[in-house]
Amino acid sequence: MIDQTHSQNQRQSYRSEVSQKGKKEFTLLKMQEYGFWPKNLPTPYEKQKAETKEDYEKRKALLKEYDKLSNDLANLYGEKEAINLKLQELKKKYTATWDYEKIRQDIAKTIMAESIARRAERKKEREVAQAEKSAAWQKAKTENIVFIGKGYSSGLQDKLTHTSKLESLGLPLIETDHQLASFLGLTYTELRFLTYHRDVVTSDHYYRYEIPKKKGGFRQIAAPKPLLKQVQRKILVEILEKLPIAEEAHGFIKNRSVVSSAEAHIKAPTLLITMDLENFFPTLTFERVRGMYKSFGYSGYIASLLAMLCTYCERMTIEVSGTTKYVKTSPRILPQGSPASPMITNIICKNLDHRLKGLSATYQLTYSRYADDMSFSYNEAEENLKLGQFLGLVSLIVEDEGFHIKASKTKILRPHNRQCLTGIVINNEEIGVPKKWVKNLRAAIHHAKLLNQTGQPIPTSLSQEIQGKTSWLKSVNPERYKTIIEAGLSVIAHF
C-alpha cells in the first residue's frame, strides 16, 4: 500500500513538472539527472555564445539522440499508464474471487477474441491490398504491354533507352509501345496482337510451305501475312538498312549478289574452300535478335517487341474436335520468307565476317559470305598454307560466334576441279555457270521451238524455266552467254 501511494505521488510530481516546464525540457532535465546530457553543455533553450563548429556539430548529434530518447520516454510513460489501467480493471474484476481457473479461462477467451479480431483485420487488409494490386495490374495491362508470352517477357522490365547511341546510328527514337505502334502504322490493339506469343493458336501470322532443295529434302518457308509483312518491311527500311554491315557479306544487299561474291575471288585460285553454316536461320533465336536491337540502343522493352515482330516458331497442324490448331514445335527463330530476316543475318554476322576476314588475311586468303555460304580462296603455292590449322581456326571462330559448320558440305577445290561457289564457276577466264546448267537451258529452248513450230501450246512451267534461266545468265555474264540469251529471249517473245 505504501509503494502504491509512493508511485501515485511520483506520477503526480512528474505531471506537475511536465505541466510547468514542458515535455521536452522536462525530459532534458531528467537526461542531465541520469547522466545522458552533460551538465556543462548549454541546453537547446539557452542562447549559445562563442560556440565552435565542433561544439555545434556535437550538440546537433546530441539533440538528435535527445529527440529519439524523448519520444521513447513518452511512449514508455504511455505504455506504463495503459498497463496500470489494465491492472486496475483486472483487480476490480477479480477482487471477490481467487478462482485461478476462472481467471485463466477468462484471460484465454480475451486473448483468443483479440487474436481472432487481429486475424480478421489482417485478412481484410490483405484483401484490400490484393484488390488494389489487381486493379493496378489491370490498369497497367490496359496502358502498356506487360506480357508477350511465357519465356519471352523477361526483357520488358528494362525501359532504359540509349538515346545518344540511336542518334549516332541515325535510328528512330522509340521509347514506348505506343510510339512503336505509331511508328509501324499499327493500332495499339494490332501491336498487342502481333507481339503476343502462344504455344497453341487457331490463327497464325504466317503462310507456311516447303520448297525442294537442289540435293534432296525440303526447305521450310514461312512467309508473313500482309499486315506483318508490312510491319517487317517498315523495320527493314527504317531501321535495319541504316546499319553498317561487313564488306564481305554479299547476300540480299543492294548492288551485291552471288556474282559480286564470286568476283571477290581470283579466277582459278590454287585452292577454293567452300563451307556452309548449319541450320543458319534456326540458329538465330529470339534472344539473339532481341540482343541485336538492344545493341543499337533500344531498351530491353522495345527490343523485345521488335524481336517478336521479326521471329516466329515452327508449328505442326492438329485437329481438335473439328478445329484446326497450330502447335509450337520450336523456340522462336528467324523465319525464312520474311523481308527483314536476310538483313538481320548480315547484321548479326558482322563480327563473324570481320574475324574471318582478319584470319584469312593472316593466311593470305580471300573471304566472302553469301547468306550461309562461306568461301575462301588461296592463290599461293599450296604447300605454303597450313590448311588444317586454318580450317581449325575457322571452326573455332564460327562456334564462338554461335554458329556451326556443316562438315558434310565443306569442299576443298583445286584448279583441276570445277571451282564453283554460290552457283558461279570461277576457274575459267570468265565467270560463268556449270556447263550442265547451260545444256539444260539449250534443251528447254529447243523443246519450246519444236512445240511452237508444230503449233502446240508451250507449257507454263517450260516458259517460266526459260525466262528464269535466261535472266540468270544475263545477270552472271551477258557477254559470254550472249547467243543463248538472245535465243531464250526470242522464244519468250512468242509466248
Side-chain angles (χ1 to χ4, degrees), residues 255-411:
N255 299 324
R256 301 188 204 179
S257 64
V258 291
V259 176
S260 64
S261 178
E263 288 177 338
H265 297 269
I266 299 168
K267 307 298 180 295
T270 304
L271 288 177
L272 176 64
I273 306 166
T274 60
M275 297 179 172
D276 271 20
L277 296 175
E278 189 172 22
N279 295 324
F280 186 50
F281 280 82
T283 304
L284 300 173
T285 60
F286 167 86
E287 289 75 16
R288 295 185 72 174
V289 176
R290 177 174 61 186
M292 178 197 73
Y293 283 114
K294 284 192 68 175
S295 72
F296 301 162
Y298 290 112
S299 66
Y301 184 77
I302 295 301
S304 296
L305 299 180
L306 288 169
M308 289 298 287
L309 294 169
C310 294
T311 58
Y312 87 125
C313 62
E314 295 175 344
R315 297 182 183 273
M316 63 180 293
T317 305
I318 62 171
E319 293 289 330
V320 180
S321 302
T323 303
T324 301
K325 294 183 180 291
Y326 304 93
V327 182
K328 165 190 170 183
T329 59
S330 78
R332 291 189 75 90
I333 56 177
L334 208 58
Q336 298 188 57
S338 162
S341 291
M343 188 56 68
I344 290 175
T345 66
N346 286 328
I347 294 169
I348 292 179
C349 287
K350 182 181 177 182
N351 197 50
L352 171 70
D353 292 333
H354 284 333
R355 293 179 70 181
L356 290 179
K357 177 187 178 182
L359 176 67
S360 299
T362 301
Y363 284 82
Q364 297 183 307
L365 282 90
T366 301
Y367 163 72
S368 71
R369 181 182 59 81
Y370 184 89
D372 57 349
D373 295 322
M374 302 185 302
S375 303
F376 306 86
S377 61
Y378 183 69
N379 206 41
E380 303 296 326
E382 186 174 340
E383 57 269 20
N384 295 335
L385 176 64
K386 296 179 180 179
L387 182 58
Q389 185 182 79
F390 173 74
L391 294 177
L393 291 172
V394 169
S395 180
L396 284 175
I397 290 174
V398 169
E399 292 288 332
D400 189 50
E401 291 295 328
F403 298 98
H404 309 285
I405 293 174
K406 192 171 185 178
S408 62
K409 297 194 73 174
T410 296
K411 297 179 181 178

Side-chain angles (χ1 to χ4, degrees), residues 80-118:
K80 182 179 179 182
E81 189 69 24
I83 291 170
N84 287 333
L85 289 172
K86 187 70 174 177
L87 287 172
Q88 289 175 10
E89 290 175 5
L90 290 170
K91 187 175 180 181
K92 288 178 182 179
K93 185 174 182 180
Y94 297 108
T95 297
T97 180
W98 289 101
D99 187 346
Y100 294 114
E101 182 60 24
K102 182 178 184 304
I103 294 172
R104 187 192 66 76
Q105 290 177 358
D106 286 353
I107 292 175
K109 287 179 181 179
T110 301
I111 292 173
M112 180 60 71
E114 291 176 351
S115 177
I116 291 171
R118 283 196 302 271

Side-chain angles (χ1 to χ4, degrees), residues 23 27 67-81:
K23 186 174 71 173
T27 305
D67 285 337
K68 181 179 181 302
L69 290 169
S70 176
N71 291 330
D72 291 345
L73 188 59
N75 292 334
L76 286 172
Y77 273 114
E79 291 175 10
K80 182 179 179 182
E81 189 69 24

Side-chain angles (χ1 to χ4, degrees), residues 2 9 21 25 43 96 112 145 164 185 192 243 262 320 339 358 390 419 440 488:
I2 295 173
N9 292 337
K21 300 177 181 179
E25 187 171 353
T43 70
M112 180 60 71
I145 296 174
S164 59
R192 281 180 175 276
L243 275 300
V320 180
F390 173 74
Q419 294 179 321
N440 289 339

